[in-house]
Amino acid sequence: MTVGFSVENRVARVTLDRPERMNAVDAETERELEAIWLEIEARDDISCVVLTGAGQKAFCTGADLKGSGTKTGLEYWAESRVNGFGGLAFRKSLDVPVIARVNGYALGGGFEMVLGCDIVIAADTARFGLPEARVGRMPLDGGMVLLQRKIAHNQAMAVMLTGRQFTAAEMQGFGIVNETVPYDELDAAVDRWVGEIVACAPLSLKAIKQTVNRTGHLSPAEAQGLRTPALIRALQSEDAVEGVTAFREKRAPVWRGR
């Protein structure tokens, strides 16, 4: 297996496990990732996902060019990747919050996967970039269409048109990274964010993310009126009653996900 996957205490941990290849994604890894995202979408016992790379050097350095054989750039582009790089870059069906634990290089498709996450926590040694133009390629699996929608035009163009690597601090300044910490404090920072997410009602989390994912193209009035399935389920849930009851009784709520 090239991807680690475990679930404990409502937290799923997905780890790209090819440290000898800087956690680059080959065809097998891509298939494993797609299977994992589908499983997470089908389960009700997960409130948060942490995505990271094995080892200390890399989060993910994108597509494994050495493993692509003689495939041309045109042939790569022609292949269907409806959810973007790693099945995540612009996936809209995954309603569970995803945290990127960026432990090292997040380049090319690796950076595109970061763009598909909801919260990004990075080690101060992490580096981000879209270097495709430097090897005669383009960021086809999310970079060109996502980055310009997340940050200022000039910042996005600086990333894509230079192909250079940016620090975690620079990416935090751009608004891509939520928090930058020393590498030794990375796990503690991620766990703190995980704890805050898991403290929320799981159905509320899904309703919020589903609504955000499905209404970005609508006007505020249209978005307000959209009755997404997750929203209806959350409003009618036992947890909706439990949350208010626990608040009135000044105690921590006990979420049941129903």
Side-chain angles (χ1 to χ4, degrees):
M1 301 294 286
T2 62
V3 184
F5 176 54
S6 64
V7 179
E8 185 177 0
N9 298 325
R10 302 199 64 85
V11 180
R13 298 188 184 271
V14 180
T15 304
L16 298 167
D17 194 9
R18 303 184 75 217
E20 74 287 352
R21 300 291 304 136
M22 301 288 276
N23 297 319
V25 173
D26 60 2
E28 180 184 353
T29 303
E30 196 167 32
R31 288 191 293 269
E32 290 181 24
L33 283 168
E34 179 62 23
I36 287 170
W37 303 137
L38 288 173
E39 179 175 344
I40 292 173
E41 289 173 356
R43 293 176 63 159
D44 286 327
D45 62 335
I46 298 173
S47 292
C48 181
V49 179
V50 176
L51 173 65
T52 193
Q56 297 186 11
K57 290 185 177 181
F59 172 81
C60 173
T61 54
D64 188 347
L65 295 181
K66 290 186 178 180
S68 61
T70 59
K71 190 181 299 181
T72 67
L74 188 61
E75 289 169 337
Y76 178 88
W77 177 67
E79 293 178 350
S80 176
R81 289 180 179 80
V82 295
N83 293 308
F85 193 86
L88 181 66
F90 40 79
R91 193 180 196 95
K92 295 301 183 184
S93 54
L94 182 60
D95 297 329
V96 180
V98 182
I99 296 176
R101 174 191 176 273
V102 187
N103 51 311
Y105 292 107
L107 305 176
F111 187 28
E112 290 173 324
M113 291 185 75
V114 168
L115 295 176
C117 294
D118 303 296
I119 294 171
V120 181
I121 313 302
D124 56 9
T125 52
R127 294 293 182 270
F128 302 78
L130 293 171
E132 284 85 350
R134 294 198 174 201
V135 294
R137 298 291 180 93
M138 289 79 71
L140 298 169
D141 293 327
M144 289 191 294
V145 297
L146 284 174
L147 193 59
Q148 60 164 316
R149 288 167 168 80
K150 285 180 171 282
I151 63 178
H153 173 83
N154 287 15
Q155 293 171 335
M157 298 305 278
V159 175
M160 290 186 284
L161 298 181
T162 66
R164 78 173 178 88
Q165 296 177 12
F166 290 77
T167 67
E170 287 175 310
M171 280 296 157
Q172 187 168 357
F174 287 175
I176 295 296
V177 171
N178 294 82
E179 184 177 356
T180 302
V181 297
Y183 183 87
D184 290 344
E185 299 175 18
L186 182 59
D187 286 332
V190 170
D191 288 345
R192 174 165 34 83
W193 282 87
V194 167
E196 291 174 348
I197 290 173
V198 174
C200 298
L203 294 182
S204 293
L205 294 172
K206 287 188 174 183
I208 291 168
K209 184 167 178 179
Q210 187 176 99
T211 299
V212 169
N213 278 343
R214 297 190 183 186
T215 61
H217 63 293
L218 302 176
S219 70
E222 291 171 329
Q224 178 70 18
L226 188 66
R227 305 298 193 252
T228 63
L231 178 64
I232 299 301
R233 183 184 179 196
L235 290 172
Q236 296 177 334
S237 68
E238 294 178 19
D239 282 352
V241 176
E242 166 64 9
V244 175
T245 301
F247 177 80
R248 290 173 176 168
E249 295 176 355
K250 298 181 180 181
R251 60 175 175 80
V254 179
W255 305 126
R256 301 187 184 279
R258 62 174 188 264

